[in-house]
């Protein structure tokens, strides 16, 4: 049975959080009273690609290099309850010992890191809402402790959607203050093995603005956080046919702005794997539209109507454009107002569009698209 009282206590504690980092700290502190564990790892994820991003919270998982190894292995090597499968599973949480018939060494992470650190079992979950992953969490028990049980799995699974909802709401962009800083794209080149080869000044400037997190020393000077190297490794995995999906992640900087990092694997001589190029640049409206739509819980139709409102179309004009009734348009607009907590079209446009995060839908754009 699920400890419903305990679950409510976790959510009450996280409801006062001002950012994702505070959500992780509050949830972990309260969960420790309900689910005995000695170490934990929490991370936000990009809701489109599922790749880990900032912020991260790591508790008692060893040195910084060990934290880096954990996330790198979780993204690229793990075949036992990998996060990408939990994101689609009916139950978004699972225990390592229970999933391996009490043979945890079947896990690549356990063999490479967890076993030698004295970990006996891991309970992990994907925090998902609206079918999107907004975060991941792993809880660890030391060797000699009882494995995580069905009640532990059920409790963490029950917290998946509400905690993801907290993260989703806190992902809403805020109007940043001050100079945007470096406008030109940053570029980092990695060799075929993932070793960084070169970096430009713009990339160095962007790295200086990133929040703290697990990172690895680089011969280029600034250490590279796991969010960037993970995306670069994902690009290599896609190029080699070992994985699918975009090697792309959005990261929130310390000043509240958003960056987008995109990696692609280049061809070498005679078709051999070549270097990987990573571009880092400020997130454009098309990059942030999915985040904003998800953060406010807007449906595809509500997104369309909101973009048409921003173009200045009247209720009748929106109805004609979308071939629906004016009454339906008004109902959708009321729902959008409630979700975004505004009371007029002017407030709606000001809240969602004036920060230059979300492009207004222009005539001729594809309905339901981000642009």
């Amino acid at each position: 049975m699920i400890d419903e009282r305990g679950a409510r206590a976790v959510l009450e504690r996280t409801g006062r959080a001002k950012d994702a980092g505070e959500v992780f700290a509050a949830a972990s502190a309260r969960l420790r009273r309900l689910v005995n564990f000695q170490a934990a790892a929490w991370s936000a994820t990009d809701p489109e690609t599922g790749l880990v991003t900032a912020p991260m919270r790591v508790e008692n998982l060893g040195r910084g290099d060990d934290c880096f190894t954990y996330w790198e292995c979780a993204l690229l090597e793990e075949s036992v309850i990998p996060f990408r499968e939990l994101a689609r599973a009916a139950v978004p949480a699972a225990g390592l010992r229970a999933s391996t018939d009490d043979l945890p060494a079947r896990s690549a992470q356990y063999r490479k890191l967890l076993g030698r650190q004295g970990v006996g079992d891991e309970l992990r979950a994907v925090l998902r809402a609206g079918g999107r992953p907004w975060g991941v969490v792993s809880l660890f028990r030391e060797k000699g402790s009882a494995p995580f049980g069905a009640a532990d799995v059920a409790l963490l699974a029950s917290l998946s959607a509400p905690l993801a909802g907290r993260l989703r709401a806190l992902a809403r962009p805020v109007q940043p203050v001050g100079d945007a800083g470096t406008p030109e794209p940053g570029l980092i080149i990695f060799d075929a093995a993932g070793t960084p080869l070169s970096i430009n000044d713009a990339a160095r400037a962007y790295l200086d603005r990133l929040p703290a997190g697990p990172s690895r020393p680089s011969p280029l000077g600034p250490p590279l956080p796991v969010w960037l190297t993970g995306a670069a490794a994902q690009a290599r995995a896609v190029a080699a046919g070992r994985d699918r999906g975009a090697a792309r992640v959005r990261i929130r900087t310390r000043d509240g702005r958003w960056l987008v990092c995109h990696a692609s694997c280049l061809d070498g001589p005679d078709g051999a794997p070549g270097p990987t190029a990573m571009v880092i640049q400020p997130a454009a409206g098309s990059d942030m539209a999915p985040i904003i739509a998800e953060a406010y819980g807007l449906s595809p139709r509500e997104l369309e109507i909101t973009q048409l409102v921003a173009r200045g179309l009247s209720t009748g004009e929106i109805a004609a454009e979308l071939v629906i009734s004016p009454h339906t348009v008004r109902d959708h607009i009321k729902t959008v107002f409630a979700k975004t907590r505004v009371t007029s079209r002017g407030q709606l446009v000001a809240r969602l569009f004036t920060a230059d995060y979300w492009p207004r839908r222009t005539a001729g754009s594809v309905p339901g698209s981000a642009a």
Side-chain angles (χ1 to χ4, degrees):
M1 291 183 60
I2 297 173
D3 184 347
E4 295 183 357
R5 182 177 180 182
R8 286 195 300 271
V10 173
L11 298 178
E12 288 172 3
R13 190 82 170 264
T14 59
R16 297 189 290 271
K18 297 181 178 61
D19 55 41
E22 289 188 9
V23 170
F24 295 154
S28 198
R30 180 61 67 170
L31 264 177
R32 194 180 293 269
R33 303 180 185 181
L34 305 171
V35 180
N36 177 43
F37 61 89
Q38 287 74 50
W42 300 75
S43 179
T45 56
D46 187 300
E48 282 199 301
T49 63
L51 294 178
V52 294
T53 184
M56 286 183 174
R57 180 180 179 83
V58 179
E59 302 171 355
N60 303 323
L61 199 56
R63 299 173 291 107
D65 225 31
D66 288 337
C67 297
F68 187 96
T69 300
Y70 172 80
W71 289 113
E72 187 177 54
C73 190
L75 291 171
L76 302 170
E77 299 181 47
E78 189 55 82
S79 58
V80 177
I81 54 172
F83 286 121
R84 61 181 176 276
E85 290 186 7
L86 279 180
R88 301 187 297 268
V91 178
L96 176 61
R97 299 260 298 267
S99 300
T100 60
D101 295 325
D102 210 22
L103 296 172
R106 288 168 53 188
S107 159
Q109 283 177 293
Y110 190 88
R111 293 192 305 271
K112 292 185 67 172
L113 177 67
L114 300 179
R116 62 180 174 82
Q117 285 190 317
V119 170
D121 197 12
E122 175 185 3
L123 171 59
R124 61 169 50 181
V126 172
L127 310 180
R128 67 187 186 194
R132 302 274 193 173
W134 289 88
V136 292
V137 54
S138 289
L139 308 178
F140 305 95
R141 282 182 179 169
E142 62 189 6
K143 290 180 180 178
S145 300
F148 290 103
D152 301 320
V153 174
L155 175 60
L156 195 57
S158 74
L159 293 170
S160 170
L163 287 179
R166 300 274 197 269
L167 298 175
R168 182 171 65 180
L170 291 167
R172 298 170 186 172
V174 296
Q175 183 71 49
V177 179
D179 183 22
T182 306
E184 64 267 20
L187 180 65
I188 305 175
I189 303 294
F190 300 82
D191 68 14
T195 301
L197 296 176
S198 60
I199 184 172
N200 67 359
D201 287 341
R204 294 178 188 274
Y206 288 129
L207 290 176
D208 285 342
R209 294 166 56 191
L210 296 182
S215 60
R216 179 166 287 174
S218 161
L220 304 179
L224 299 181
V226 69
W227 320 302
L228 300 187
T229 57
Q234 172 75 0
R236 296 194 300 276
V238 170
R242 297 193 308 271
D243 206 346
R244 295 179 295 173
R248 183 171 172 274
V249 64
R250 283 159 288 207
I251 302 173
R252 201 168 200 164
T253 62
R254 293 192 305 273
D255 60 1
R257 299 177 186 273
W258 287 83
L259 301 175
V260 62
C261 307
H262 183 272
S264 58
C265 193
L266 309 177
D267 291 333
D270 300 322
T276 298
M278 168 164 285
V279 176
I280 310 171
Q281 58 192 22
S286 57
D287 296 312
M288 293 310 300
I291 290 282
I292 297 174
E294 290 283 347
Y296 284 102
L298 301 182
S299 69
R301 177 62 88 186
E302 291 161 358
L303 167 59
E304 283 184 288
I305 290 175
T306 301
Q307 291 177 308
L308 292 172
V309 167
R311 279 177 49 193
L313 273 63
S314 67
T315 297
E317 290 169 333
I318 294 173
E321 172 109 358
L322 300 180
V323 196
I324 57 179
S325 72
H327 177 73
T328 300
V329 172
R330 284 191 287 270
D331 282 345
H332 280 305
I333 291 177
K334 288 179 182 177
T335 301
V336 171
F337 282 2
K339 288 182 176 181
T340 57
R341 298 181 181 179
V342 300
T343 57
S344 70
R345 293 185 177 211
Q347 289 178 356
L348 177 66
V349 173
R351 172 154 294 180
L352 298 186
F353 295 92
T354 55
D356 294 326
Y357 275 123
W358 194 358
R360 303 186 184 204
R361 183 173 182 267
T362 57
S365 61
V366 178
S369 67

